[in-house]
């Protein structure tokens, strides 16, 4: 059993690990790897190892479990995600599992404050180094400036993470400064890096927060919760259908699909060529990020490619169970946040990247049942 005097230590260990992972993602996943490859590799190894060690200690030595099966489940989750990370070459899948499991009994708001401070600091450091020094060289991309991350959507992902964490943390006490700051961040994301997927999710989240402020009952009823539960299923079906039916050689047979694909920056052609042109297997292992021949900007298609059919089923079960338990506990604000996240993931492929998805901190609700969901009731 965890003694009460160790709870502050558990909080500090968890927050320290969050900071290390955000430095890893914000700073050492940037173009500094091209300018200082050896130093960057050593820094990435140290940051990853330090975060894994801290989260491992938090999960197995500084967490109080209510049942004997819970630490066993944690070990099984980590074993599977470690294997899937090795097989699919996606270290953030394992790190996301550590972050989610480690969030049990953590003060989420305190952790989000640390998250915001570290994320904003990392972004500012990268931009300073990018524009003022040769340490963050520009990597050519045909459409937009890369802002030190190799691709403008990499910058947009970090901005989305800051927006999500800010809105989620301050929701109950949003003031004029918060509203203006969140709106300015969304507009900046659209106008400067041009990350439309990130901007769209920000706009939806901000709009729904505004409606919720005046009509809270619209988001705390069975119709809303059923709608939120249906959204990921609809997005999966539509992603599969649009990619399958789109014919890049003669797309004019389905003009509505063609126009929508153009509006979404030609994503349907990518989905057709990359997803439907790849063989799906039980364990996956296919690359879904990197060069233009493998990158696919849709999480709902990328997960079965990289994690396989088994991984897709497990991730889907996790997410649907999370939405169901949030609905059961009437946590309407959290469902709004996750709806915005789903729309972002429909356009991008960064579900396990901590700097783009602070909602990984909700994972204890799934892994450890209703008790975890009771710790942060919704105030709407």
């Amino acid at each position: 059993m965890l003694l009460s005097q160790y709870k502050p230590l558990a909080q500090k260990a968890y927050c320290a690990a969050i900071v290390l992972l955000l430095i890893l993602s914000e700073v050492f996943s940037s173009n500094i790897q091209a300018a200082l490859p050896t130093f960057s590799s050593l820094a990435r190894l140290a940051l990853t190892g330090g975060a894994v060690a801290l989260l491992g200690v938090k999960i197995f030595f500084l967490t109080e479990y209510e049942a004997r099966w819970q630490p066993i489940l944690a070990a099984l989750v980590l074993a599977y995600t470690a294997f899937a990370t090795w097989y699919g070459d996606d270290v953030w899948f394992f790190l996301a599992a550590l972050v989610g499991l480690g969030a049990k009994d953590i003060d989420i708001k305190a952790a989000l404050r640390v998250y915001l401070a570290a994320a904003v600091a990392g972004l500012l450091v990268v931009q300073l180094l990018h524009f003022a020094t040769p340490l963050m060289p520009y990597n050519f991309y045909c459409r937009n400036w890369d802002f030190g991350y190799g691709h403008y959507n990499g910058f947009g992902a970090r901005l989305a993470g800051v927006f999500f964490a800010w809105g989620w943390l301050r929701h109950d006490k949003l003031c004029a400064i918060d509203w203006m700051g969140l709106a300015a961040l969304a507009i900046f994301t659209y106008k400067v890096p041009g990350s439309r997927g990130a901007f769209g999710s920000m706009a939806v989240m901000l709009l729904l927060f505004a409606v919720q402020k005046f009509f809270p009952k619209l988001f705390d009823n069975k119709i809303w919760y059923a709608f939120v539960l249906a959204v990921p299923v609809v997005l999966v079906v539509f992603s599969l259908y649009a990619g399958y039916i789109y014919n890049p050689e003669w797309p004019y047979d389905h003009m509505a699909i063609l126009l929508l694909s153009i509006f979404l920056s030609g994503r349907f052609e990518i989905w057709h060529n990359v997803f439907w042109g790849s063989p799906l297997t039980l364990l996956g292992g296919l690359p879904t990020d990197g060069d233009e021949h493998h990158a696919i900007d849709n999480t709902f298609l990328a997960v079965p490619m990289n994690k396989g059919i088994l991984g897709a089923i497990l991730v889907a079960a996790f997410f649907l169970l999370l939405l169901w338990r949030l609905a059961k506990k009437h946590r309407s604000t959290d469902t709004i946040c996750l709806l915005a996240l789903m729309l972002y993931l429909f356009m991008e492929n960064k579900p396990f990247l901590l700097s783009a998805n602070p909602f990984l901190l909700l994972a204890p609700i799934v892994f450890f049942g209703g008790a975890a969901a009771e710790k942060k009731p919704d105030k709407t």
Side-chain angles (χ1 to χ4, degrees):
M1 300 294 288
L2 177 66
L3 300 177
S4 59
Q5 59 264 34
Y6 291 129
K7 290 185 178 180
L9 178 61
Q11 182 79 24
K12 290 178 181 178
Y14 186 80
C15 289
I18 292 294
V19 171
L20 293 180
L21 290 177
L22 287 172
I23 295 174
L24 171 66
S25 174
E26 302 279 355
V27 180
F28 289 98
S29 294
S30 67
N31 295 349
I32 197 173
Q33 297 177 89
L36 301 172
T38 302
F39 174 72
S40 297
S41 297
L42 292 175
R44 289 174 61 84
L45 183 63
L47 291 166
T48 305
V52 170
L54 286 170
L55 290 171
V57 169
K58 164 62 181 67
I59 292 167
F60 292 109
F61 298 102
L62 296 176
T63 298
E64 184 175 6
Y65 294 103
E66 293 79 23
R68 292 181 179 180
W69 59 264
Q70 290 180 339
I72 297 174
L73 174 63
L76 291 174
V77 170
L78 292 178
Y80 167 71
T81 53
F83 168 78
T85 288
W86 167 77
Y87 196 81
D89 192 25
D90 178 16
V91 69
W92 283 104
F93 190 47
F94 178 63
L95 295 177
L98 282 168
V99 169
L101 291 167
K104 187 179 188 301
D105 300 329
I106 288 298
D107 183 342
I108 298 297
K109 288 193 174 182
L112 282 175
R113 293 188 192 99
V114 172
Y115 178 105
L116 268 176
V120 172
L123 278 172
L124 292 176
V125 167
V126 169
Q127 296 315 298
L128 177 63
L129 294 176
H130 179 57
F131 287 104
T133 76
L135 294 178
M136 299 281 184
Y138 169 65
N139 286 345
F140 174 78
Y141 183 72
C142 60
R143 279 183 55 189
N144 294 26
W145 195 265
D146 73 342
F147 295 91
Y149 287 104
H151 193 290
Y152 62 95
N153 280 332
F155 185 43
R158 276 77 178 180
L159 294 174
V162 170
F163 183 97
F164 289 151
W166 184 357
W168 190 27
L169 173 65
R170 292 287 300 165
H171 173 268
D172 296 329
K173 299 180 180 179
L174 283 171
C175 63
I177 294 176
D178 293 307
W179 287 106
M180 290 187 293
L182 289 169
L185 181 57
I187 294 170
F188 175 86
T189 302
Y190 179 73
K191 299 296 289 185
V192 180
S195 299
R196 288 185 287 178
F199 166 75
S201 62
M202 293 177 182
V204 167
M205 184 170 164
L206 199 59
L207 175 62
L208 292 180
F209 276 0
V211 175
Q212 186 192 33
K213 186 176 181 64
F214 296 100
F215 306 102
K217 292 185 179 180
L218 286 177
F219 302 93
D220 191 14
N221 57 74
K222 292 182 179 179
I223 296 176
W224 167 257
Y225 294 129
F227 169 74
V228 173
L229 278 164
V231 166
V233 178
V234 172
L235 291 178
V236 169
V237 173
F238 179 78
S239 299
L240 292 170
Y241 172 78
Y244 179 77
I245 201 172
Y246 187 87
N247 181 3
E249 296 180 359
W250 186 257
Y252 305 103
D253 289 337
H254 303 90
M255 286 302 299
I257 293 292
L258 173 60
L259 293 175
L260 185 56
S261 180
I262 294 172
F263 177 74
L264 298 178
S265 303
R267 277 173 167 77
F268 294 175
E269 181 174 358
I270 299 172
W271 301 352
H272 178 87
N273 292 332
V274 177
F275 180 82
W276 288 105
S278 304
L280 292 185
T281 63
L282 181 65
L283 299 178
L286 296 173
T288 57
D289 204 356
D291 61 51
E292 65 274 16
H293 301 295
H294 299 105
I296 182 166
D297 293 331
N298 182 312
T299 294
F300 302 101
L301 300 180
V303 169
M305 289 178 61
N306 187 257
K307 306 297 181 292
I309 297 172
L310 174 62
I313 292 172
L314 293 175
V315 171
F318 170 89
F319 196 73
L320 290 173
L321 183 57
L322 174 59
L323 290 173
W324 180 76
R325 284 187 166 158
L326 290 174
K328 188 177 179 182
K329 300 299 177 182
H330 297 276
R331 290 174 54 168
S332 56
T333 297
D334 291 339
T335 60
I336 290 174
C337 293
L338 290 181
L339 176 63
L341 177 68
M342 284 186 278
L343 296 178
Y344 174 67
L345 297 180
F346 176 70
M347 294 281 286
E348 301 296 342
N349 175 23
K350 291 179 172 59
F352 310 115
L353 183 67
L354 177 62
S355 57
N357 184 8
F359 305 121
L360 293 170
L361 277 65
L362 289 171
I365 296 173
V366 175
F367 292 128
F368 306 115
E374 297 284 359
K375 293 187 181 295
K376 184 177 175 287
D378 206 331
K379 295 184 179 180
T380 59

